[in-house]
Amino acid sequence: MNVTGTILANIPIFRHCLDDEIGQLRLIGKPVSVKQGHQFDMKKINSFYVVLSGIFEIESMGKTDVVYLAPGSFFGTIPFTENRQTGRVRALVDSNLMIFSVEDLYRFFLMSYKCLRGYLNTIGRMGFAVSDIGKKYFGGSSRVITVYSPFPQSGKSFLAALLGVSLRKSGRTVVLDLSFGGSSIFNLFEKKAAAPLSHRTEDSPAFEQIISERMERVDDGLDLLNVAFGSKVKVNPEILSPLLFMLSKEYRYIVIDCGDDDAGLRDRVFGLSDRIFTMVKNRKDVRQLYGIYDATVREGQRVYYVLNELYAGDVKDFAGGLVLPRFEAAGESGEYARLAACAGGEALAPIVSQVTAKRSALVLETGLLNSLFYGGFLSALNKTGKSYDLMYTSAYGYIVLSLFLLSGGKTEFRKRMEQFFSEDRLNRLLDITFPADCVFKNNAVAKLAGDVCGDSRIETFRHLPVVMTGQDGADDRRMFSTGYLRDAVAASFSLYPIFEQTEIAGRRYHSGYPDYRVRVEDLFRVDVDEVACVSVDNAAVPGYRDGTLIGFFARYLAGVEKRSAGDRGSDLSDASFAIEVSERDIRIDRILDSSQEISEKLLKRSGR
């Protein structure tokens, strides 16, 4: 990412954007040079300005109240808000700006449903007054739930219909049929499927009018919309984001019945979903799906595997998954009456609650050896009984989180921490190779991660451990919420470029440190209701005192930790916890004991 891209990515209202979205912003923005002394009257401008270089002053409240704008600052019209700034902005030196027309920014956000959600969540938390049009979408309250299966007659459409009937009790719901063939979801509701949206022609009415005309009402709280069923042409995946944008104005829950007819459409659906329920007929079907999700799910989506008891028989246990029970509805007349009867009891509650329950998230700020103090915080959190549905971090913090989730208690957790982070053990992981592409191979790390994590899958944990990684050594990053935990741990350990990267689903990944760090704003795109953030404020750069750690690696760790010491995270979280310590020596027991004691006090003061 170049300097302009880096500046845009760190502006608060764009911090939630993905790398390719930052690239789009660079294309729609217009760079301009401004001479010293040039002035802007903010009452007269209708654009958004980003300072790329130089320095400006702005009179905010009066001639004696002056604010200085350095590179990375912004001023002007902010989309979806009613904030009108006053005063004049003057260039103090020759400077450079990037100018965005408000209309271009509107179009940019409307083409990315999740980007819009993240933006609206951000400006709300920043205290901007949201405009009337923004209020229609403010808060990202709509949830997109996809029911998917590549297996014929798996019960996919049946589950989508059941969710539609159940969710309408909690909020207005629409079910979209994105399967090209098979049995249409409309049949389950005894409704005739309208022409699919993919049959729209150039002389068709406006998109929003077409949606309204083709919507099939079931009752006051539930509607159906045919997007692909019966279509003789492929659906353009780019239709989905604006479609969700339109639907989010009216619906709390958007349920998508998605087949495997078109991989491109399926992958776009996954990218825009919040939850993905995957129907399988038996336990062994699950393994066939790993490769699909590991290659395509990139934004923290929650993936569930749902075993259909109709095919699997009486299911006593389905570890890490959910069960769709066999429904008996004898005596009910008609498909819809049977559907309503099945959805009306408690049998479906374990699945429905995954959608309707409030969802909380915890962000552990990115770090290396300072991340060991998160072990004490997680222990203190567990002691209070408080838990988070999603936990998000990277680099060594993800290793600590994973070891905690895998451990059955305090003793086992400390043993696992010693396996990775004692000086002797860490030295064994530094498998030196000829430094052509890297200094250290990942063989020893991968083996230890495999021994500790086994075949555990990220998506099967009750508290979802989401990791941010760097990708292919390039200026790109990715969030993993599926995959083998061992691979995510190995990648989190691999500091690029001195470590060999870890291959996952055909691509290579590394910790991303120090170029990429997790951000609270990343989760504003996700369907979470509350975000808490934890950081470590250490007065010293921790290190190993015995001196047996390979000198090059010890100096590398100290260097990158020192360089990143001044980095600050976001202040937009709902709650924040700063673990203030002054430890110089890496002693696992001491670190875990002291950080737990400090964390317990922090949690007690916060009332959590």
Side-chain angles (χ1 to χ4, degrees):
M1 189 178 295
N2 65 9
V3 175
T4 300
T6 300
I7 289 175
L8 292 176
N10 284 287
I11 292 173
I13 63 173
F14 295 146
R15 277 171 64 90
H16 69 285
C17 292
L18 304 178
D19 291 335
D20 63 333
E21 291 166 350
I22 294 296
Q24 293 171 35
L25 285 170
R26 287 179 55 205
L27 292 176
I28 66 175
K30 179 183 178 182
V32 297
S33 297
V34 179
K35 292 294 184 180
Q36 179 181 354
H38 185 86
Q39 295 188 27
F40 300 86
D41 185 347
M42 288 199 292
K43 287 184 178 180
K44 298 179 180 179
I45 61 178
N46 191 34
S47 298
F48 181 73
Y49 296 80
V50 175
V51 180
L52 298 180
S53 66
I55 188 166
F56 293 78
E57 67 174 7
I58 175 173
E59 300 173 0
S60 58
M61 295 177 65
K63 293 182 178 180
T64 60
D65 188 4
V66 178
V67 175
Y68 295 98
L69 303 177
S73 302
F74 59 88
F75 61 92
T77 302
I78 301 174
F80 294 107
T81 74
E82 294 179 345
N83 291 69
R84 293 297 301 179
Q85 297 172 316
T86 60
R88 292 181 178 273
V89 178
R90 182 169 68 93
L92 298 182
V93 297
D94 290 349
S95 306
N96 288 286
L97 294 170
M98 179 163 277
I99 303 177
F100 297 89
S101 77
V102 174
E103 291 75 16
D104 285 342
L105 285 179
Y106 274 117
R107 283 191 287 269
F108 167 75
F109 286 122
L110 297 186
M111 289 306 296
S112 176
Y113 173 74
K114 285 197 171 182
C115 188
L116 173 64
R117 171 196 276 172
Y119 173 76
L120 292 173
N121 278 326
T122 299
I123 62 174
R125 288 167 182 263
M126 290 178 69
F128 289 114
V130 181
S131 64
D132 289 340
I133 189 171
K135 289 176 183 177
K136 292 183 179 180
Y137 315 102
F138 177 66
S141 59
S142 293
R143 287 185 172 175
V144 181
I145 304 100
T146 292
V147 183
Y148 162 76
S149 180
F151 309 112
Q153 305 299 315
S154 63
K156 167 181 64 67
S157 296
F158 182 54
L159 177 57
L162 286 175
L163 283 173
V165 173
S166 297
L167 291 173
R168 83 189 198 284
K169 301 172 187 175
S170 302
R172 197 171 178 201
T173 302
V174 61
V175 183
L176 312 184
D177 194 337
L178 260 74
S179 296
F180 283 85
S183 177
S184 171
I185 198 167
F186 282 79
N187 295 336
L188 293 168
F189 288 96
E190 300 175 324
K191 299 289 184 180
K192 182 179 179 181
L197 289 181
S198 57
H199 284 186
R200 180 190 181 197
T201 62
E202 290 186 4
D203 58 351
S204 295
F207 188 42
E208 194 164 6
Q209 183 180 341
I210 292 179
I211 295 173
S212 177
E213 290 175 350
R214 299 188 185 180
M215 194 70 69
E216 184 69 32
R217 181 178 179 274
V218 176
D219 58 34
D220 289 342
L222 179 62
D223 295 316
L224 308 177
L225 181 64
N226 183 17
V227 179
F229 183 76
S231 177
K232 294 181 170 38
V233 296
K234 285 190 174 183
V235 176
N236 181 356
E238 296 307 313
I239 195 178
L240 294 177
S241 190
L243 173 60
L244 294 179
F245 173 78
M246 299 293 182
L247 295 176
S248 66
K249 293 189 293 184
E250 305 293 338
Y251 298 96
R252 174 73 174 101
Y253 300 107
I254 302 169
V255 181
I256 300 175
D257 178 10
C258 179
D260 216 37
D261 311 278
D262 183 340
L265 182 64
R266 175 202 67 196
D267 294 349
R268 185 61 174 148
V269 169
F270 288 171
L272 293 167
S273 299
D274 295 314
R275 315 291 176 89
I276 305 171
F277 292 92
T278 314
M279 291 300 305
V280 296
K281 294 182 177 180
N282 55 67
R283 288 177 171 83
K284 67 180 181 180
D285 287 343
V286 173
R287 287 189 167 272
Q288 300 181 45
L289 299 161
Y290 291 162
I292 294 174
Y293 286 132
D294 295 353
T296 59
V297 173
R298 307 175 64 89
E299 289 195 58
Q301 297 93 328
R302 180 90 214 210
V303 172
Y304 304 93
Y305 301 107
V306 184
L307 182 60
N308 193 337
E309 207 171 49
L310 178 66
Y311 300 104
D314 188 23
V315 179
K316 300 299 183 184
D317 178 58
F318 184 40
L322 300 165
V323 176
L324 180 66
R326 182 198 300 266
F327 288 99
E328 301 293 344
E332 298 293 345
S333 58
E335 287 293 325
Y336 182 54
R338 175 176 177 268
L339 192 66
C342 294
E346 291 297 316
L348 200 64
I351 297 178
V352 174
S353 64
Q354 301 299 325
V355 179
T356 57
K358 284 192 173 183
R359 197 177 183 207
S360 60
L362 181 70
V363 177
L364 303 175
E365 285 194 359
T366 301
L368 295 181
L369 295 177
N370 269 334
S371 298
L372 273 59
F373 292 93
Y374 292 142
F377 182 86
L378 293 169
S379 296
L381 194 66
N382 186 58
K383 189 175 178 180
T384 67
K386 169 71 176 178
S387 62
Y388 290 89
D389 303 290
L390 182 154
M391 292 180 282
Y392 176 48
T393 187
S394 67
Y396 286 9
Y398 192 75
I399 301 174
V400 174
L401 173 61
S402 300
L403 298 181
F404 181 80
L405 292 176
L406 288 166
S407 300
K410 182 176 181 179
T411 301
E412 185 179 1
F413 178 46
R414 295 192 175 212
K415 177 183 176 182
R416 294 188 187 281
M417 288 284 282
E418 290 281 352
Q419 282 182 287
F420 268 92
F421 296 114
S422 68
E423 187 167 7
D424 179 58
R425 291 294 190 127
L426 184 58
N427 225 24
R428 296 184 200 177
L429 299 179
L430 305 181
D431 190 0
I432 299 175
T433 183
F434 185 77
D437 297 320
C438 59
V439 178
F440 303 109
K441 293 185 289 186
N442 66 8
N443 294 5
V445 177
K447 183 179 185 307
L448 178 58
D451 290 343
V452 172
C453 302
D455 290 332
S456 298
R457 295 279 302 181
I458 294 172
E459 64 269 32
T460 61
F461 282 84
R462 179 185 172 192
H463 308 295
L464 186 67
V466 178
V467 64
M468 185 277 292
T469 66
Q471 181 173 295
D472 285 337
D475 292 331
D476 199 4
R477 59 185 224 145
R478 175 178 173 178
M479 293 171 67
F480 277 99
S481 57
T482 72
Y484 286 103
L485 188 65
R486 60 175 182 252
D487 293 337
V489 167
S492 298
F493 190 88
S494 301
L495 302 175
Y496 183 82
I498 66 170
F499 264 92
E500 184 181 10
Q501 298 178 88
T502 299
E503 184 171 319
I504 305 174
R507 302 195 71 169
R508 300 179 303 159
Y509 297 91
H510 56 90
S511 72
Y513 195 89
D515 297 320
Y516 290 114
R517 305 172 71 87
V518 298
R519 299 171 295 204
V520 168
E521 290 88 350
D522 295 339
L523 299 186
F524 293 168
R525 304 169 66 100
V526 180
D527 66 325
V528 294
D529 302 286
E530 174 189 69
V531 182
C533 182
V534 187
S535 61
V536 176
D537 186 2
N538 197 345
V541 177
Y544 292 92
R545 60 179 175 176
D546 292 341
T548 59
L549 188 65
I550 292 175
F552 164 76
F553 188 62
R555 288 190 294 274
Y556 179 83
L557 288 181
V560 294
E561 289 269 36
K562 188 174 182 180
R563 179 156 63 94
S564 302
D567 292 347
R568 283 294 174 191
S570 170
D571 59 357
L572 298 180
S573 58
D574 296 291
S576 60
F577 306 94
I579 307 172
E580 295 184 3
V581 294
S582 57
E583 298 286 342
R584 289 184 175 274
D585 298 329
I586 301 298
R587 294 173 293 175
I588 303 300
D589 284 344
R590 169 62 184 160
I591 284 175
L592 294 180
D593 287 338
S594 63
S595 58
Q596 181 171 347
E597 181 181 349
I598 294 169
S599 300
E600 287 176 358
K601 293 177 181 177
L602 288 173
L603 291 168
K604 185 177 181 180
R605 283 201 299 266
S606 72
R608 293 174 181 266

